[in-house]
Amino acid sequence: MKKLKGFVVGSALLMMLAACGGSDTETTANGTDTDESGASGETINWRMGHLAAEDHIWHQTAERFAELVSEKTEGQIDISIYPNNQLGGETEVLNSVRGGNVDLLITGETMQNWAPKAALLAVPYAFRDSDHLKAVVEGEIGSEIEEEIVEKVGVTPLFHMERAPRNLTSNEPISTPEDLNGFRMRVPNVPLFMDSWNAAGAGPQVMDFNEVFTGLQQGVIHGQENPVDLIHSGGLYEVQEYVNLTEHVYSWIYVVVGNSQFEALSEDLQAAVMEAAEEAKTYGDELFVEEIQNYHDTLEAEGMTFNDDVDQDAFREAMEPAIENALSEEQFELYQQILDVE
């Protein structure tokens, strides 16, 4: 975060600053007064954005994280959370974090636009199941991906959350790639998703999540793909009839903070934030197990039909050439390492 050094003029102002706890202060880009170690009597106000609704597990976990940070820093860091893309779409907010105008974000594979290895967060059919995913993200490969995120995106992952498998939604059942003929669908701003679904026979197009409901309602697109929690959070059960169990992506997502914002903190405050992050992750993991089945049941109650007659092997085979072509040599090597993890 850029810091603007203020020049003190007049003895009265000097006395005021001294009364506030120090005469050597800096003002951060979000208006926070801190001393050179990143600690002061002034509250550090962080803004956090994400795309999910208030009842989503990401938001609930973010709220718990904010509570923990406040507790562990004795109120020195206050986090305001903006759900529902209130601060903009994911790419826009990520740029704002990088620029110092927003401080934290829940984000995932979109970071590959800066850090190519982040594409491995969500490669179609790269992960067999939840256990395989956990072994990768908490092992050497996960550490390698995080290091590149820090270096090239300019944000620091604080903790990760597992995501439910991504599934394709539609108004007609889709069981094989042949059913995708003429099917226009939304994908996030992830080139690999675009290439994979195009290879499978669909007509994918990039669209921010906050535009998906209207796009489906107006027939601009015929479907989209997301985990059940976001299908519910986005109210897509009102405009889609089927959840087709393609389970094409097992993935995870990070809570990240801007490098500059984090580095501006004192060592004690950094440690407190990381301790809060560890506890928030545990909270989020427990919530995930409880809530995913609830989302499934709720979507059924709202009238959606889960199509389990999906030929996942056919979708995998259709997407494989696009995956190999889309990944760079370095990415493909990492992809093959993921497949080999037991």
Side-chain angles (χ1 to χ4, degrees), residues 1 28 30-32 34 38 40-48 62-63 65-82 102-104 257 261 265 269 273:
M1 181 184 295
T28 63
N30 63 5
T32 302
T34 65
S40 80
E42 298 293 334
T43 301
I44 298 170
N45 297 301
W46 275 355
R47 296 199 302 160
M48 178 180 187
E63 287 187 316
F65 173 60
E67 292 171 0
L68 289 165
V69 167
S70 180
E71 291 172 7
K72 294 179 183 300
T73 64
E74 298 182 344
Q76 289 187 64
I77 299 178
D78 179 73
I79 300 176
S80 299
I81 306 168
Y82 299 84
V102 179
D103 305 288
L104 302 111
V257 62
Q261 293 93 315
L265 302 178
L269 289 181
V273 169

Side-chain angles (χ1 to χ4, degrees), residues 288-306:
F288 175 82
V289 173
E290 296 173 4
E291 290 296 311
I292 293 305
Q293 184 61 47
N294 291 340
Y295 285 122
H296 185 288
D297 296 342
T298 300
L299 291 175
E300 283 191 324
E302 293 288 355
M304 296 195 82
T305 299
F306 281 76

Side-chain angles (χ1 to χ4, degrees), residues 51-64:
L51 60 81
E54 288 90 341
D55 62 351
H56 190 270
I57 54 178
W58 293 357
H59 186 71
Q60 295 172 49
T61 303
E63 287 187 316
R64 181 59 183 149

Side-chain angles (χ1 to χ4, degrees), residues 306-326:
F306 281 76
N307 173 26
D308 58 5
D309 188 29
V310 174
D311 189 345
Q312 293 184 4
D313 288 338
F315 279 99
R316 181 185 297 107
E317 291 173 8
M319 292 182 179
E320 277 178 355
I323 293 170
E324 184 169 358
N325 289 333

Side-chain angles (χ1 to χ4, degrees), residues 32-165:
T32 302
D33 290 334
T34 65
D35 65 20
E36 290 182 346
S37 67
S40 80
E42 298 293 334
T43 301
I44 298 170
N45 297 301
W46 275 355
R47 296 199 302 160
M48 178 180 187
H50 65 80
L51 60 81
E54 288 90 341
D55 62 351
H56 190 270
I57 54 178
W58 293 357
H59 186 71
Q60 295 172 49
T61 303
E63 287 187 316
R64 181 59 183 149
F65 173 60
E67 292 171 0
L68 289 165
V69 167
S70 180
E71 291 172 7
K72 294 179 183 300
T73 64
E74 298 182 344
Q76 289 187 64
I77 299 178
D78 179 73
I79 300 176
S80 299
I81 306 168
Y82 299 84
N84 290 308
N85 278 327
Q86 291 179 36
L87 300 180
E90 185 177 345
T91 301
E92 180 182 357
V93 177
L94 190 48
N95 276 318
S96 293
V97 172
R98 286 159 50 86
N101 298 314
V102 179
D103 305 288
L104 302 111
L105 174 66
I106 301 177
T107 184
E109 60 274 4
T110 298
M111 291 186 289
Q112 73 174 281
N113 295 300
W114 296 272
K117 291 180 183 177
L120 279 301
L121 268 69
V123 174
Y125 296 109
F127 299 97
R128 297 183 293 275
D129 51 32
S130 181
D131 289 339
H132 183 207
L133 173 72
K134 183 177 180 180
V136 171
V137 68
E138 296 181 359
E140 293 182 3
I141 295 175
S143 297
E144 185 176 338
I145 292 171
E146 289 186 22
E147 288 172 4
E148 186 175 76
I149 288 172
V150 172
E151 178 184 352
K152 295 187 177 180
V153 185
V155 299
T156 298
L158 297 174
F159 64 97
H160 76 273
M161 294 180 280
E162 183 179 351
R163 306 180 71 174

